[in-house]
Amino acid sequence: MNKGVNDSIRLVDHPLAAHKLSTLRSEDTPYPVFRRTLKELSLILAVEATRDLSTKEVKLKTPLKETTGKVIDREILLVPIFRAGLGMLDGFLEILPDAKVGFIGIYRNERSLTPRKYYHNIPKVSKDVFAFILDPMIATGGSIRTAIELLFANDIRTITVVSVIAYSKTLEKLAEEFSPNLKLKFVTAALDQELNDKGFIVPGLGDAGDRTFGSL
Ligand code: PRP
C-alpha cells in the first residue's frame, strides 16, 4: 500500500521497506551491509515505482489452453546518478533486466551546495520511453533538477525519480515546478522534514555515497 502525498509524490509504506530503511539510517550499519540493504530496498522501490507502467494485451498459450496476458509496452531507461545512485541500479535491474541504462555524474559542492555535472551518457531511446532517475538522497534538489533537465533536453518526457529519503519541501517544490511540462513522478521510502546548514537531510542517513562505497 502507498500513501499518495499528492498526485505526483508517492511515499512507499511497506513493512519491509521500513525495516530496510531503519538499517540504512542506523550509524551502526557497516558499509557492506549498507550496500546490500540499499540494493534490497531498491528492489522494493522498483516494484512500487513501476506501478504505472503501461501494458498491452498479448495472446499466449499455456501448456493447457490459449489465453491472453499483458506485457510492458514501452522501453525502460534507468539513470543512476553517480555515485550513490549506482547502489540502486542492481536492485532495479533484477526485475527490469531489459532496461537500458544511462549515467549522469553530478557532484554537489560541499560549501555552495550547487551541483556540477561532470559526466553523462544517455543511450538512444524512443520518445515514449519510461525513465527512472535513481538517487538515494534528494536534499536541496539541485542534483535531481540537473538530471531532469538533461533528460528533458534529450526529449524524454515520462520520468519517475526514485529516492530512499527526500527532504519533503524540495520534493513538493520540484513536483510543482516541472509538472506542467513533464509526466514527472517521485517515489521515495521516506520524507524527512529538516535540512541542516550543511545541506544534509535530518535525520537522514548521512552521506549515501560514502556509506555505500566505504569512503568514510
Ligand atoms: C549526494 C546525493 C545526491 C545529492 C543530493 O551526492 O547522492 O546526488 O548529494 O543533494 P542535493 O539534492 O542538494 O543536490 P554527492 O554530491 O554527495 O555525491 P556522491 O554521491 O558522489 O557522494
Side-chain angles (χ1 to χ4, degrees), residues 11-94:
L11 177 62
V12 174
D13 180 21
H14 189 290
L16 274 178
H19 184 100
K20 290 177 193 305
L21 176 65
S22 299
T23 303
L24 294 177
R25 283 195 193 271
S26 170
E27 67 172 358
D28 295 332
T29 301
Y31 77 86
V33 180
F34 186 97
R35 184 158 59 208
R36 194 186 67 220
T37 306
L38 178 57
K39 178 185 168 183
E40 292 165 354
L41 176 56
S42 300
L43 212 151
I44 298 167
L45 292 173
V47 172
E48 297 292 348
T50 48
R51 196 176 279 276
D52 303 324
L53 283 183
S54 57
T55 55
K56 65 179 179 193
E57 204 169 274
V58 290
K59 286 184 181 161
L60 56 88
K61 198 164 171 284
T62 76
L64 302 174
K65 193 178 182 319
E66 283 193 348
T67 183
T68 57
K70 288 177 180 174
V71 295
I72 304 297
D73 71 351
R74 306 269 184 98
E75 221 173 8
I76 293 175
L77 174 67
L78 305 176
V79 185
I81 298 183
F82 292 162
R83 288 174 304 165
L86 284 178
M88 300 176 71
L89 180 62
D90 282 353
F92 270 72
L93 284 173
E94 290 271 335

Side-chain angles (χ1 to χ4, degrees), residues 165-185:
I165 302 179
Y167 175 48
S168 58
K169 281 189 184 153
T170 294
L171 226 54
E172 285 159 21
K173 214 165 79 186
L174 285 170
E176 257 183 48
E177 189 181 327
F178 284 102
S179 52
N181 303 323
L182 286 171
K183 285 182 195 158
L184 181 64
K185 292 211 163 137

Side-chain angles (χ1 to χ4, degrees), residues 81-84 106-108 135-143 207 209:
I81 298 183
F82 292 162
R83 288 174 304 165
I106 301 174
Y107 178 74
R108 192 175 72 149
D135 193 331
M137 310 300 283
I138 303 176
T140 67
S143 306
D207 186 315

Side-chain angles (χ1 to χ4, degrees), residues 108-191:
R108 192 175 72 149
N109 182 295
E110 280 178 14
R111 265 195 225 141
S112 66
L113 302 181
T114 46
R116 189 174 70 82
K117 178 166 71 63
Y118 56 87
Y119 179 78
H120 72 271
N121 185 331
I122 308 294
K124 275 201 175 143
V125 286
S126 57
K127 266 203 151 180
D128 61 359
V129 67
F130 272 92
F132 296 88
I133 298 175
L134 313 179
D135 193 331
M137 310 300 283
I138 303 176
T140 67
S143 306
I144 282 298
R145 182 179 287 108
T146 305
I148 293 170
E149 284 169 356
L150 179 72
L151 295 193
F152 196 56
N154 278 259
D155 281 338
I156 295 168
R157 295 288 183 268
T158 306
I159 301 173
T160 298
V161 178
V162 189
S163 59
V164 172
I165 302 179
Y167 175 48
S168 58
K169 281 189 184 153
T170 294
L171 226 54
E172 285 159 21
K173 214 165 79 186
L174 285 170
E176 257 183 48
E177 189 181 327
F178 284 102
S179 52
N181 303 323
L182 286 171
K183 285 182 195 158
L184 181 64
K185 292 211 163 137
F186 295 89
V187 174
T188 188
L191 284 166

